[in-house]
Short mmCIF file of all heavy atoms in Angstrom, two decimals:
data_model
loop_
_atom_site.label_atom_id
_atom_site.label_comp_id
_atom_site.label_asym_id
_atom_site.label_seq_id
_atom_site.Cartn_x
_atom_site.Cartn_y
_atom_site.Cartn_z
N GLY W 1035 -2.01 5.61 8.57
CA GLY W 1035 -1.56 4.23 8.74
C GLY W 1035 -0.03 4.18 8.67
O GLY W 1035 0.60 4.97 7.99
N ILE W 1036 0.53 3.22 9.41
CA ILE W 1036 1.98 3.01 9.33
C ILE W 1036 2.24 1.96 8.28
O ILE W 1036 1.66 0.86 8.33
CB ILE W 1036 2.55 2.55 10.69
CG1 ILE W 1036 2.28 3.62 11.76
CG2 ILE W 1036 4.04 2.26 10.57
CD1 ILE W 1036 2.78 3.23 13.13
N CYS W 1037 3.11 2.26 7.34
CA CYS W 1037 3.39 1.37 6.22
C CYS W 1037 4.74 0.70 6.43
O CYS W 1037 5.61 1.24 7.12
CB CYS W 1037 3.42 2.21 4.94
SG CYS W 1037 3.71 1.26 3.45
N GLY W 1038 4.92 -0.44 5.81
CA GLY W 1038 6.21 -1.11 5.82
C GLY W 1038 7.34 -0.19 5.36
O GLY W 1038 8.46 -0.27 5.88
N SER W 1039 7.04 0.69 4.43
CA SER W 1039 8.11 1.57 3.93
C SER W 1039 8.51 2.59 4.99
O SER W 1039 9.69 2.89 5.18
CB SER W 1039 7.68 2.27 2.64
OG SER W 1039 6.67 3.19 2.87
N ASP W 1040 7.52 3.13 5.75
CA ASP W 1040 7.85 4.05 6.85
C ASP W 1040 8.79 3.36 7.84
O ASP W 1040 9.77 3.93 8.30
CB ASP W 1040 6.58 4.45 7.61
CG ASP W 1040 5.61 5.29 6.79
OD1 ASP W 1040 6.05 6.24 6.14
OD2 ASP W 1040 4.41 4.98 6.81
N HIS W 1062 2.31 8.25 4.91
CA HIS W 1062 1.73 8.56 3.60
C HIS W 1062 0.33 7.96 3.40
O HIS W 1062 -0.24 8.13 2.35
CB HIS W 1062 2.67 8.10 2.47
CG HIS W 1062 2.89 6.62 2.44
ND1 HIS W 1062 3.98 6.02 2.98
CD2 HIS W 1062 2.13 5.63 1.96
CE1 HIS W 1062 3.89 4.73 2.83
NE2 HIS W 1062 2.77 4.45 2.22
N GLU W 1063 -0.21 7.29 4.43
CA GLU W 1063 -1.53 6.66 4.27
C GLU W 1063 -2.51 7.44 5.13
O GLU W 1063 -2.66 7.17 6.30
CB GLU W 1063 -1.47 5.21 4.77
CG GLU W 1063 -0.40 4.37 4.08
CD GLU W 1063 -0.33 2.94 4.59
OE1 GLU W 1063 -1.04 2.60 5.56
OE2 GLU W 1063 0.44 2.17 4.01
N PHE W 1111 6.55 11.90 -3.67
CA PHE W 1111 5.71 10.97 -2.90
C PHE W 1111 5.98 11.20 -1.41
O PHE W 1111 7.12 11.21 -0.98
CB PHE W 1111 6.07 9.53 -3.30
CG PHE W 1111 5.06 8.50 -2.89
CD1 PHE W 1111 4.09 8.06 -3.77
CD2 PHE W 1111 5.10 7.94 -1.62
CE1 PHE W 1111 3.16 7.10 -3.40
CE2 PHE W 1111 4.17 6.97 -1.24
CZ PHE W 1111 3.20 6.55 -2.13
N GLU W 1148 -4.83 3.71 0.64
CA GLU W 1148 -3.49 3.72 0.01
C GLU W 1148 -2.94 2.30 -0.15
O GLU W 1148 -2.63 1.88 -1.28
CB GLU W 1148 -2.54 4.64 0.78
CG GLU W 1148 -1.30 5.05 0.00
CD GLU W 1148 -0.19 4.03 0.00
OE1 GLU W 1148 -0.09 3.22 0.95
OE2 GLU W 1148 0.60 4.02 -0.95
N PRO W 1149 -2.81 1.52 0.92
CA PRO W 1149 -2.31 0.16 0.67
C PRO W 1149 -3.26 -0.68 -0.22
O PRO W 1149 -2.79 -1.49 -1.01
CB PRO W 1149 -2.17 -0.43 2.07
CG PRO W 1149 -2.96 0.44 2.97
CD PRO W 1149 -2.98 1.80 2.36
N ILE W 1152 -2.69 -0.54 -3.93
CA ILE W 1152 -1.65 -1.39 -4.52
C ILE W 1152 -2.25 -2.72 -4.97
O ILE W 1152 -1.95 -3.23 -6.05
CB ILE W 1152 -0.49 -1.58 -3.53
CG1 ILE W 1152 0.15 -0.23 -3.25
CG2 ILE W 1152 0.54 -2.58 -4.06
CD1 ILE W 1152 1.07 -0.20 -2.07
N ILE W 1176 0.29 -6.23 2.34
CA ILE W 1176 0.10 -6.05 0.90
C ILE W 1176 -0.47 -7.33 0.26
O ILE W 1176 -1.35 -7.27 -0.58
CB ILE W 1176 1.41 -5.59 0.22
CG1 ILE W 1176 1.78 -4.18 0.72
CG2 ILE W 1176 1.28 -5.61 -1.30
CD1 ILE W 1176 0.77 -3.08 0.43
N TYR W 1291 0.56 2.86 -7.82
CA TYR W 1291 -0.76 2.73 -8.47
C TYR W 1291 -1.04 4.00 -9.24
O TYR W 1291 -0.45 5.05 -8.99
CB TYR W 1291 -1.85 2.51 -7.41
CG TYR W 1291 -1.54 3.30 -6.18
CD1 TYR W 1291 -1.69 4.68 -6.17
CD2 TYR W 1291 -0.95 2.69 -5.08
CE1 TYR W 1291 -1.29 5.44 -5.09
CE2 TYR W 1291 -0.54 3.45 -3.99
CZ TYR W 1291 -0.71 4.82 -4.01
OH TYR W 1291 -0.29 5.57 -2.97
N LYS W 1338 -2.28 -3.90 10.31
CA LYS W 1338 -2.11 -2.45 10.13
C LYS W 1338 -2.23 -1.73 11.46
O LYS W 1338 -3.21 -1.90 12.18
CB LYS W 1338 -3.16 -1.92 9.13
CG LYS W 1338 -3.08 -0.47 8.82
CD LYS W 1338 -1.74 -0.04 8.21
CE LYS W 1338 -1.54 -0.54 6.80
NZ LYS W 1338 -0.22 -0.13 6.24
ZN1 LIG J 1662 1.86 2.46 2.24
#
Side-chain angles (χ1 to χ4, degrees):
I1036 300 179
C1037 182
S1039 69
D1040 293 313
H1062 63 262
E1063 304 180 354
F1111 196 96
E1148 198 278 333
I1152 297 167
I1176 294 299
Y1291 36 73
K1338 181 60 70 181

